């Protein structure tokens, strides 16, 4: 019996094989031409962990690749089944399993969206603060698999800081739970939970997880402050932290990037927001708390800004435009973003991380590299993603014409070069997209001899190299067929 027949026998109508059913799973939001769409051979729509176990056991027996995906809004092809085989549509498993108000945790199936988590605890005055712009489509599993960025990262961090336990179906079809559902930390065993975070489906399929939830702050205030340079913005944030203030979120925009978020402003007024010529960076900063604390915090934050020659953006429409575009999304989906984004030209970004003192340097390299490959620059953002400290996750973004193979090829060269530049700056190639197949050439370059240990871990979880093959390591490498 073929493996697809076995799947049909085990899972019935949860198995999809028609061309039109498979086609949509051959691409995510990363720039790629029509010819580069790679549909899987078969799609599974599981409803429970047991469905995933049955799928992986059959795949293991036959040595068939298994790629799990969520909302397919990944921007580097992480869920694209580049070796075809089986695609597991994780969005079919989206149930909330438990809300524990006393212990402030929520457990959900892995395909619940991040917004689903927020909705499930809202009536208890709680929320899950790991929220990307794509919170309605990004699944819990994908957030874990990529250790994504959040709008509120400067206070709450990333999934790494918020996930308590993960249920995983390994590459042999065994179910394991890593971490502890109700305790915040543990010093026993090895921290396998942290290993799964950022593993992008290469060690197994995530089927459920328990995360912390937090009390919803009473009030929130968003500001934008103009600084002459990115470096000055970093100094400002350092002063804010030293004063004892904790922003909920902070995002440094280069002046080009602001336009991406304020397209609706331009539509209405017929011009871009007026930003002084001396502006080198715009800091969007979010504070939250009860009225007294928030008032005191803002007073102090404004005083530090004035001392450091930062200018508060007084025109609230600019700030509100940014905030709507970034978080509340109170408009028809993505309409407010630059119209060329995702229609004619795709949003294509490199996502390196660098030490806090190198922001100006990487910005220079970003512009230089984009120009070298003749690519249209959208702009750079530095998202502050480490709780209560300065830790950058960068989005060095371009507009890429997805119909033009030459432009796509130049974009990939840019992407590779930016990865190398970040490592040379004692940084990392990726901060929220993970490795995918695009960073494989520089994997060793970043990790050195530790890459060998990672390979052995991969083989332990996935002896036949069937879990999202081609990501982090080539499949041949995992199977020992290449050096
Ligand atoms: C408009 C827009 C805004 C965005 N904003 C942000 C942002 O603010 N911050 C940010 O970090 N990113 C952002 N992104 C990028 C993207 O949303 C995130 O990277 C998100 O993680 C993708 O979620 P997804 O469910 O669509 O994942 P997919 O693209 O479907 O998958 C992503 C990865 O997760 C793995 N995966 C999925 N399900 C499983 C599973 N069950 N088990 C194991 N592995 C699995 C896949 O194999 C793949 O490697 C944005 C994207 C868009 C389109």
């Amino acid at each position: 019996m073929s493996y697809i027949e076995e799947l049909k026998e085990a899972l019935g109508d949860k198995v999809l094989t028609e061309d039109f059913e498979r086609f949509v799973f051959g691409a995510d939001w990363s720039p790629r031409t029509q010819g580069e769409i790679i549909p899987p051979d078969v799609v599974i729509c599981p409803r429970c962990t047991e469905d995933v176990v049955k799928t992986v056991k059959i795949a293991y027996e036959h040595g068939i690749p298994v790629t799990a995906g969520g909302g397919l809004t990944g921007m580097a092809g992480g869920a694209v089944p580049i070796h075809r085989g089986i695609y597991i549509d994780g969005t079919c498993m989206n149930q909330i399993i438990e809300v524990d108000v006393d212990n402030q945790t929520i457990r959900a199936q892995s395909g619940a969206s991040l917004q689903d988590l927020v909705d499930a605890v809202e009536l208890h005055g709680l929320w899950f603060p790991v929220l990307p712009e794509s919170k309605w489509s990004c699944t819990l599993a994908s957030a874990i698999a990529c250790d994504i960025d959040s709008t509120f990262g400067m206070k709450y961090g990333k999934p790494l800081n918020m996930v308590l336990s993960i249920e995983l179906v390994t590459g042999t079809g065994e179910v394991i739970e890593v971490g502890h559902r109700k305790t915040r930390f543990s010093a026993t065993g090895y921290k396998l939970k942290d290993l799964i975070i950022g593993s992008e489906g290469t060690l197994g399929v995530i089927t459920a997880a328990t995360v912390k939830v937090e009390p919803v702050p009473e009030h929130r205030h968003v500001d934008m402050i103009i600084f002459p340079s990115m470096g000055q913005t970093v100094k400002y944030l350092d002063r804010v932290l030293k004063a004892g203030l904790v922003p909920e979120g902070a995002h440094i925009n280069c002046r080009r990037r602001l336009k991406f978020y304020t397209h609706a402003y331009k539509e209405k007024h017929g011009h871009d927001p007026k930003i002084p010529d001396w502006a080198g960076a715009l800091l969007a900063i979010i504070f939250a708390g009860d009225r007294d604390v928030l008032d005191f915090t803002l007073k102090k934050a404004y005083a530090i800004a004035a001392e450091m020659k930062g200018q508060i953006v007084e025109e609230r429409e600019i700030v509100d435009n940014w905030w709507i575009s970034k978080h509340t999304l109170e408009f028809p989906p993505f309409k407010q973003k630059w119209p060329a984004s995702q229609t004619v030209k795709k949003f294509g970004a490199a996502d390196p991380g660098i030490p806090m003192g190198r922001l100006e340097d990487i910005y220079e390299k970003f512009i230089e590299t984009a120009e070298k490959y003749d690519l249209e620059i959208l702009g750079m953002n530095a998202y502050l993603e480490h709780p209560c400290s300065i830790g950058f996750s960068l989005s060095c973004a371009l507009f890429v014409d997805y119909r033009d193979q030459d432009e796509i090829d130049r974009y990939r060269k840019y992407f590779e070069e930016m990865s190398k530049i970040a490592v040379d700056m004692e940084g990392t190639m990726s901060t929220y997209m993970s490795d995918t197949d695009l960073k494989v050439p520089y994997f060793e370059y970043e990790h050195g001899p530790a890459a060998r240990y990672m390979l052995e871990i991969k083989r332990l979880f996935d002896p036949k190299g069937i879990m999202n093959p081609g990501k982090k390591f080539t499949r041949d490498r995992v199977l020992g067929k290449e050096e």
Side-chain angles (χ1 to χ4, degrees):
M1 209 193 300
S2 78
Y3 84 88
I4 295 185
E5 282 164 354
E6 277 187 43
L7 286 170
K8 282 183 174 165
E9 198 171 281
L11 294 154
D13 61 6
K14 295 168 193 162
V15 181
L16 310 178
T17 51
E18 298 292 338
D19 287 357
F20 71 90
E21 293 168 322
R22 297 181 295 109
F23 179 75
V24 289
F25 298 105
D28 62 2
W29 276 47
S30 54
R32 64 186 58 235
T33 57
Q34 190 83 0
E36 292 175 326
I37 296 173
I38 311 171
D41 297 316
V42 56
V43 176
I44 308 294
C45 306
R47 295 285 186 275
C48 59
T49 302
E50 194 45 36
D51 288 346
V52 176
V53 169
K54 284 180 189 164
T55 304
V56 176
K57 283 196 167 153
I58 292 169
Y60 179 69
E61 210 177 285
H62 293 267
I64 305 297
V66 178
T67 302
L72 282 172
T73 57
M75 294 193 157
V80 177
I82 58 173
H83 287 273
R84 299 190 191 267
I86 301 168
Y87 179 89
I88 296 185
D89 179 4
T91 60
C92 303
M93 288 176 59
N94 57 9
Q95 300 301 304
I96 303 294
I97 300 168
E98 184 197 34
V99 173
D100 181 341
V101 177
D102 288 343
N103 291 307
Q104 298 190 348
T105 63
I106 182 170
R107 184 169 180 79
Q109 281 189 312
S110 56
S113 76
L114 300 182
Q115 186 63 40
D116 288 339
L117 301 187
V118 174
D119 294 345
V121 294
E122 197 181 14
L123 78 162
H124 304 290
L126 299 167
W127 69 314
F128 180 59
V130 177
L131 293 174
E133 283 173 39
S134 53
K135 60 196 170 191
W136 273 293
S137 55
C138 174
T139 64
L140 176 57
S142 307
I144 295 170
C146 299
D147 199 19
I148 59 156
D149 280 353
S150 159
T151 300
F152 305 98
M154 196 161 179
K155 180 163 181 194
Y156 303 101
K158 283 171 156 273
L160 187 67
N161 307 99
M162 295 296 294
V163 174
L164 296 174
S165 81
I166 301 166
E167 182 185 85
L168 184 84
V169 177
T170 69
T172 59
E174 189 179 354
V175 183
I176 57 170
E177 174 106 12
V178 290
H180 300 72
R181 294 188 190 184
K182 300 290 164 81
T183 50
R184 297 305 205 236
F185 39 78
S186 154
T188 69
Y190 297 109
K191 291 185 171 39
L192 294 185
K193 169 185 64 90
D194 292 3
L195 178 67
I196 302 308
I197 298 171
S199 64
E200 57 177 332
T202 60
L203 301 179
V205 180
I206 298 165
T207 44
T210 305
V211 300
K212 291 192 285 175
V213 285
E214 299 282 342
V216 179
E218 258 177 56
H219 299 282
R220 170 173 295 134
H221 185 82
V222 183
D223 268 313
M224 280 192 144
I225 314 177
I226 303 169
F227 286 99
S229 67
M230 298 218 179
Q232 185 72 356
T233 312
V234 179
K235 283 186 189 144
Y236 171 71
L237 286 172
D238 194 38
R239 281 280 308 277
V240 163
L241 289 171
K242 276 191 185 129
L245 308 181
V246 179
E248 241 194 342
H251 304 236
I252 304 172
N253 299 268
C254 77
R255 54 183 301 147
R256 298 183 210 228
R257 183 71 181 240
L258 183 71
K259 292 183 191 171
F260 184 63
Y261 294 105
T262 52
H263 174 68
Y265 181 102
K266 188 174 178 186
E267 293 274 280
K268 186 171 155 195
H269 297 280
H271 59 83
D272 284 317
K274 289 203 169 69
I275 302 294
D277 289 343
W278 57 265
L282 286 104
L283 171 70
I285 190 159
I286 310 158
F287 287 108
D290 71 19
R291 194 68 265 164
D292 290 348
V293 171
L294 189 56
D295 286 347
F296 176 83
T297 300
L298 292 176
K299 202 169 145 206
K300 186 83 190 161
Y302 293 158
I304 300 172
E307 253 177 62
M308 300 189 72
K309 309 271 180 278
Q311 182 180 312
I312 309 285
V313 173
E314 301 290 352
E315 197 179 344
R316 285 305 300 179
E317 203 177 349
I318 300 176
V319 182
D320 293 346
N321 258 248
W322 177 81
W323 187 238
I324 289 172
S325 193
K326 184 79 202 156
H327 181 61
T328 62
L329 310 183
E330 292 150 348
F331 53 82
F334 311 121
K335 206 174 164 189
Q336 194 172 7
K337 297 260 156 77
W338 201 296
S341 164
Q342 308 305 327
T343 51
V344 181
K345 289 207 165 193
K346 282 253 188 188
F347 178 104
D351 64 325
I354 39 107
M356 65 184 271
R358 306 297 302 265
L359 197 56
E360 299 277 358
D361 299 340
I362 192 104
Y363 183 64
E364 233 171 73
K365 289 285 182 192
F366 159 51
I367 302 294
E368 195 182 299
T369 313
E371 282 173 354
K372 174 171 151 191
Y373 289 108
D374 196 18
L375 293 160
E376 187 183 345
I377 297 168
L378 189 157
M380 190 177 96
N381 248 162
Y383 304 111
L384 280 284
E385 295 296 329
H386 196 280
C388 308
S389 82
I390 296 177
F392 298 128
S393 176
L394 303 182
S395 166
C396 302
L398 310 165
F399 289 117
V400 187
D401 186 342
Y402 70 91
R403 297 158 310 179
D404 180 346
Q405 188 67 57
D406 179 61
E407 190 159 316
I408 297 266
D409 291 344
R410 281 182 280 118
Y411 161 70
R412 294 202 181 117
K413 282 196 184 120
Y414 153 86
F415 196 92
E416 271 195 26
E417 206 161 309
M418 286 301 292
S419 300
K420 183 171 179 297
I421 287 167
V423 176
D424 289 342
M425 286 186 184
E426 298 180 87
T428 175
M429 300 188 284
S430 176
T431 51
Y432 61 94
M433 291 183 192
S434 208
D435 294 290
T436 73
D437 54 325
L438 295 176
K439 289 158 190 154
V440 170
Y442 289 104
F443 198 77
E444 223 91 18
Y445 191 69
E446 172 163 347
H447 298 289
R452 195 165 44 80
Y453 286 79
M454 294 185 196
L455 183 58
E456 290 310 320
I457 288 168
K458 162 79 176 163
R459 287 175 176 149
L460 177 67
F461 276 83
D462 177 24
K464 288 196 177 171
I466 58 172
M467 293 281 113
N468 204 0
K471 318 292 167 60
K472 296 199 193 293
F473 299 99
T474 62
R475 190 167 189 209
D476 279 353
R477 181 92 195 276
V478 177
L479 298 177
K481 292 184 187 164
E482 87 187 23
E483 208 3 69

